[in-house]
Amino acid sequence: MEILDSIFLNTKKIFLDLLGCWLPDWMILLVNIGIIIGVIAVLGPVIMMYLTLLERKIIGRMQNRIGPNRVGIFGILQPIADGIKMFTKEDIIPQNADKIVHFLAPVLMVIPALLAFAVLPFGRGMIPVNLNVGLLFFIAVSSTSTICVFMASWASRNKFSILGGMRSAAQMISYEIPMVLSVVPVILSAESLSTYAIVEAQARWSGLHWFVFTPWGLLAFIIFFLCGVAECNRSPFDLPEAESEIVAGFHTEYSGMKFALFYMAEYMNTFTVSALAATLFLGGWEGPVLPSWLWFFIKTHALIFVMFWFRGTLPRFRVDQLMGLAWKLFLPLTLINIFVAGGYHLISDRNFRVAGASAVLLVSFLLFTVFLNRKYMPEKRRYDLVD
Amino acid sequence: MELLNLAGIAGVYTLMLVILIAAVAMVTLRSLFHSALALAAVLIGIAGIYLTLQADFLAMIQILIYVGAVMTLIIFAVMLTEHLSHQTVRQNNRQSPLAIAGICAFLFCLTGVIVRTPWPLQPQNQTATITAMELGKAFMGQYVFAFELISVFLIAALIGAIVIARKDK
Amino acid sequence: MFFGLGVLRGLMVTLKNFVTSYFMPPDRGGLFTVEYPEKRLPVIERFRNFPFLVYDKDPENPRCVACEICANECPTKCIYIEKDTDPNKKPLRRPAIFDIDITVCMNCGICEEVCPFDSIYMDHPFEVASSDRLEKLLFHKNDLLKSNDYFHKIRPTHAAAIDARRRAVEEKKKSAAVKPSETGQPPKAQNGGKP
């Protein structure tokens, strides 16, 4: 099993050793970096393409129909057909649009999505760049996509685009704060900001030491995952770009390859948020029998399935419900969560701390949902029938 | 290896050049939105400079706070106030020669100071580490009073903003 | 009970749908998609598409007598009939030309309802799309003539009812032809055959 585990690393080492016979040292370094960049640059879009196919098939099955299956067996070649369609569509730019900004916005939207792949631990020893502020790097680059949304909506010079863009940007910054704060207990517990070190902190006792199995970890996982869904503008938080709402919001005026770039950025964000949630809370690449990279993909795709499941089931939020959820429910819960996680670390008696933490979190959840959100909980009505 | 070092140094100088160009663009572009975007480019460039000075935590925080939050706020403000059509605002007025004279005097003084400094400078204590843990210990240890004062300040600003923005009953 | 229970119930419904779609039969939660060009659903008997003409024994003697009632009643006027003539220019009770333009025909079935001679009925095949409007989408008499056995195959109960009625009319005609010969009177002329 160890052979399978490090098969990619060994292949790269053999290849670099072969090259090292007749190339100087510094060029080997560059070739190493080039291989890593090449793998990520190929893996990102390929994953995105097959995620679109997976989404259509899964949502189709949930709606009692088969997804696409005409192009290739089980629709395997469907993303290639979609890609060809996007490439060959006409690129329409509105006449009054700001040409440079209109061109730059989709390009700059894909950059953070691709950069985030650099700090994901794909397996044991397989992380592209082991930054020691890896988690903060991920959060920082994913927060720069807000400006790109503004650029896209402004450059279209279309009032509905601007409206959709501002809603989308407001949603993105509102949900960033609970996302960052819910990761703080994990950093507290793993004592490092590097994603690799966080996975290693969970990999000690196989399976049971994952952060999701602690009370504060479970709450932090749920909040992080829901905030991640909101960051990617996916259902049920897809008010800014839903077709029946505001005609696709900030990417209304984009067609052809530029729209394909926005689409690609959204699906790559989906993958990276799921991968990061799996890394931080579900133990990354750690697991009993199978190779480590296989466990990573299984966990990530389980979370991606949950995202698709949400899309197939839930109606979308209204904009005030969306904002209310972030500011009135998630933010107070994450703040309480940080305190509870700190207390959890200081108390060493196992049963007491689990019971205490769960009690405090449950009580605070009920308090916040009842007192802060009373306006949204409908009262029970009695209908007395007049005889 | 010298080639890589040389490439590194060339990269840092290119970064500084890009920052300077973006800063000049920020003050001379006619559309306010484009100036805001140039400001975002300058801030990302400054984060790059922090990275060359081995301050990784600070660079990430710079991107997260400045580019992610402060620029978003500035762009919100620009988008809410600027008219949708093209704005061509003259970027200089009749007092340009006087301003140029003043700036040349300032540059002269600045160049004098820069030339007289013994480059390269040695920092005070070579052993100071700038990791997140050291920053946290400093915040909670040596600078805790300033930290608490800043947080009270921020809460006062938040409450003030809510009071201003609230509708009068 | 608790805040969020409705969402979880909804998610369970979708998950159940997802899982049962793989192995359950169509009426209990499975897929009921029919993948069209490879599989087809059988059409029901009363399915109504473009018309066809019935002949009993051979195509030279169709049931149609070219009375032109269907051409007159057709709402879109898609039927064009010309009576056949024998070498002496006397009209025969047979159509020489019977054209239906199926780009105009709207499958309403009025021609079937008004035909007094049980000769035009609505056919089943619907895959007649073609890019050749003048050749393939204008059906001539040869395309429209189909045998009574074919009629029985596509509409069993309807064809059996028509055949029973025609046989009853034949029996009545034969018995009426036989009876007056007993009483010595010439046989009475019957009207059409329509009950």
Side-chain angles (χ1 to χ4, degrees):
Chain A
M1 265 315 141
E2 273 75 29
I3 308 178
L4 267 186
D5 203 18
S6 48
I7 189 171
F8 294 113
L9 287 177
N10 287 344
T11 320
K12 190 176 77 158
K13 204 151 68 87
I14 293 174
F15 179 66
L16 286 179
D17 284 340
L18 275 180
L19 276 188
C21 304
W22 44 275
L23 276 184
D25 253 346
W26 55 270
M27 208 179 255
I28 297 287
L29 197 66
L30 281 183
V31 169
N32 190 7
I33 297 177
I35 290 180
I36 296 177
I37 295 180
V39 165
I40 300 262
V42 165
L43 196 73
V46 166
I47 285 183
M48 167 258 169
M49 291 195 323
Y50 283 95
L51 273 186
T52 58
L53 176 68
L54 200 66
E55 169 170 35
R56 288 165 75 172
K57 289 205 76 86
I58 288 180
I59 291 185
R61 289 272 168 181
M62 287 181 183
Q63 296 170 346
N64 268 337
R65 58 184 171 87
I66 319 180
N69 66 348
R70 289 282 124 188
V71 195
I73 261 194
F74 298 129
I76 290 275
L77 297 177
Q78 176 78 32
I80 301 182
D82 275 343
I84 294 178
K85 172 191 82 163
M86 296 260 181
F87 269 118
T88 56
K89 268 200 179 167
E90 179 190 355
D91 189 17
I92 301 176
I93 305 179
Q95 196 180 19
N96 275 344
D98 206 347
K99 293 205 173 32
I100 302 180
V101 180
H102 189 91
F103 175 79
L104 274 181
V107 171
L108 295 181
M109 187 92 174
V110 174
I111 293 181
L114 262 183
L115 271 181
F117 273 90
V119 289
L120 295 176
F122 287 102
R124 191 173 281 126
M126 296 202 279
I127 180 170
V129 184
N130 194 1
L131 293 176
N132 60 348
V133 284
L135 192 55
L136 205 55
F137 173 80
F138 180 88
I139 294 171
V141 301
S142 68
S143 76
T144 61
S145 49
T146 324
I147 295 191
C148 303
V149 165
F150 272 127
M151 283 166 72
S153 67
W154 178 260
S156 308
R157 299 233 189 248
N158 177 1
K159 286 194 172 58
F160 288 110
S161 285
I162 292 186
L163 202 56
M166 291 180 85
R167 276 191 190 170
S168 173
Q171 177 187 319
M172 282 169 129
I173 54 177
S174 310
Y175 278 94
E176 237 171 70
I177 300 179
M179 195 159 103
V180 173
L181 284 177
S182 70
V183 168
V184 169
V186 170
I187 303 177
L188 211 145
S189 177
E191 297 171 9
S192 164
L193 277 172
S194 154
T195 50
Y196 198 72
I198 292 177
V199 172
E200 288 202 320
Q202 296 177 71
R204 278 185 294 212
W205 286 266
S206 72
L208 296 177
H209 218 68
W210 296 352
F211 288 145
V212 76
F213 290 131
T214 59
W216 50 266
L218 185 62
L219 185 65
F221 171 60
I222 294 175
I223 292 182
F224 181 81
F225 187 65
L226 292 178
C227 292
V229 171
E231 282 285 315
C232 304
N233 279 345
R234 283 193 74 82
S235 266
F237 300 97
D238 65 348
L239 187 74
E241 63 171 35
E243 278 152 10
S244 61
E245 298 290 335
I246 201 158
V247 200
F250 63 92
H251 52 70
T252 308
E253 300 284 350
Y254 287 90
S255 58
M257 199 57 205
K258 296 181 183 162
F259 180 73
L261 285 177
F262 274 121
Y263 203 52
M264 185 153 59
E266 179 184 326
Y267 278 92
M268 285 202 279
N269 265 337
T270 305
F271 180 80
T272 47
V273 160
S274 302
L276 199 74
T279 313
L280 295 175
F281 296 100
L282 291 179
W285 41 254
E286 195 257 318
V289 171
L290 302 170
S292 56
W293 39 272
L294 202 61
W295 268 118
F296 178 77
F297 273 103
I298 288 175
K299 290 177 195 174
T300 305
H301 282 275
L303 289 179
I304 290 179
F305 175 76
V306 173
M307 277 198 187
F308 293 159
W309 191 12
F310 282 169
R311 179 176 174 176
T313 313
L314 301 173
R316 60 177 69 101
F317 279 105
R318 229 172 39 213
V319 66
D320 58 333
Q321 292 171 337
L322 223 142
M323 294 304 204
L325 197 69
W327 292 101
K328 294 201 276 192
L329 186 64
F330 286 164
L331 183 63
L333 274 180
T334 49
L335 291 173
I336 302 258
N337 204 17
I338 298 178
F339 284 117
V340 166
Y344 191 90
H345 265 278
L346 291 177
I347 303 176
S348 48
D349 176 10
R350 184 98 69 81
N351 298 329
F352 178 64
R353 68 181 182 183
V354 167
S358 322
V360 170
L361 288 176
L362 267 176
V363 163
S364 59
F365 174 69
L366 289 173
L367 235 112
F368 289 133
T369 57
V370 167
F371 282 119
L372 290 184
N373 294 303
R374 200 192 277 273
K375 204 167 70 142
Y376 297 108
M377 291 178 62
E379 21 183 78
K380 289 205 178 302
R381 298 188 181 147
R382 279 173 53 96
Y383 295 98
D384 291 325
L385 299 175
V386 178
D387 281 326
Chain B
M1 279 320 271
E2 286 81 27
L3 207 61
L4 275 184
N5 269 341
L6 212 59
I9 294 178
V12 170
Y13 276 105
T14 317
L15 182 66
M16 294 186 203
L17 193 66
V18 165
I19 293 178
L20 282 176
I21 294 179
V24 168
M26 185 181 89
V27 296
T28 54
L29 280 178
R30 286 186 178 165
S31 162
L32 199 55
F33 190 75
H34 292 170
S35 304
L37 293 179
L39 180 61
V42 167
L43 293 171
I44 295 181
I46 293 183
I49 298 235
Y50 285 151
L51 278 176
T52 64
L53 296 172
Q54 319 269 346
D56 46 6
F57 185 74
L58 194 58
M60 295 305 143
I61 292 287
Q62 161 92 0
I63 292 185
L64 178 63
I65 303 282
Y66 264 110
V67 179
V70 171
M71 278 318 298
T72 306
L73 205 60
I74 292 179
I75 293 184
F76 252 120
V78 163
M79 280 169 72
L80 283 175
T81 55
E82 190 178 351
H83 198 46
L84 198 63
S85 59
H86 269 293
Q87 277 282 23
T88 56
V89 177
R90 252 196 81 169
Q91 296 294 324
N92 45 10
N93 57 12
R94 282 176 307 140
Q95 297 168 333
S96 316
L98 203 60
I100 291 180
I103 289 181
C104 281
F106 177 68
L107 267 181
F108 183 66
C109 299
L110 202 62
T111 325
V113 169
I114 291 178
V115 160
R116 290 206 195 102
T117 324
W119 297 109
L121 289 177
Q122 300 295 331
Q124 288 288 67
N125 38 351
Q126 294 271 21
T127 57
T129 48
I130 327 174
T131 60
M133 192 181 280
E134 296 297 322
L135 268 176
K137 284 184 186 161
F139 267 135
M140 285 295 150
Q142 193 177 2
Y143 300 107
V144 65
F145 183 64
F147 182 61
E148 296 296 330
L149 206 60
I150 290 177
S151 38
V152 168
F153 209 55
L154 280 173
I155 290 189
L158 265 177
I159 295 181
I162 293 177
V163 162
I164 293 178
R166 218 168 85 138
K167 290 196 252 279
D168 293 320
K169 278 194 205 153
Chain C
M1 282 186 294
F2 58 89
F3 197 59
L5 183 65
V7 170
L8 286 175
R9 280 213 194 117
L11 288 173
M12 283 302 130
V13 167
T14 332
L15 190 65
K16 193 169 77 108
N17 244 351
F18 177 76
V19 168
T20 60
S21 77
Y22 279 102
F23 52 81
M24 285 288 200
D27 51 346
R28 284 180 36 193
L31 296 172
F32 39 84
T33 312
V34 174
E35 301 183 29
Y36 174 60
E38 288 93 26
K39 303 186 180 48
R40 288 176 172 80
L41 281 178
V43 292
I44 59 174
E45 182 187 333
R46 292 179 181 222
F47 180 66
R48 189 174 81 197
N49 214 3
F50 299 116
F52 74 101
L53 292 172
V54 185
Y55 62 82
D56 279 317
K57 302 270 186 334
D58 65 291
E60 299 305 319
N61 297 323
R63 288 186 196 171
C64 175
V65 299
C67 63
E68 301 196 26
I69 289 183
C70 57
N72 291 332
E73 294 289 330
C74 177
T76 54
K77 298 275 183 286
C78 65
I79 304 184
Y80 176 72
I81 299 181
E82 270 186 21
K83 270 192 178 0
D84 202 359
T85 55
D86 68 356
N88 292 336
K89 298 294 171 55
K90 190 164 155 292
L92 291 175
R93 290 181 144 208
R94 214 166 55 189
I97 297 183
F98 195 109
D99 288 344
I100 295 185
D101 186 0
I102 63 169
T103 63
V104 181
C105 174
M106 59 174 182
N107 310 341
C108 58
I110 288 183
C111 51
E112 170 182 332
E113 286 176 21
V114 302
C115 178
F117 295 97
D118 308 322
S119 73
I120 186 167
Y121 288 98
M122 306 308 275
D123 204 353
H124 281 175
F126 51 86
E127 290 157 336
V128 290
S130 160
S131 47
D132 193 356
R133 207 161 94 184
L134 299 176
E135 297 291 318
K136 302 267 179 47
L137 296 182
L138 177 65
F139 283 179
H140 299 293
K141 189 173 79 159
N142 290 335
D143 311 313
L144 291 172
L145 276 174
K146 301 202 175 144
S147 71
N148 199 12
D149 297 327
Y150 175 77
F151 186 29
H152 271 278
K153 199 169 60 154
I154 60 173
R155 289 173 185 252
T157 53
H158 193 192
I162 299 287
D163 275 356
R165 194 179 49 157
R166 284 173 81 88
R167 233 176 302 133
V169 165
E170 294 281 328
E171 299 288 320
K172 235 199 253 180
K173 239 202 287 195
K174 263 192 249 172
S175 64
V178 165
K179 258 209 296 244
S181 61
E182 294 173 352
T183 63
Q185 281 180 7
K188 274 212 267 240
Q190 304 287 331
N191 54 346
K194 205 125 166 91

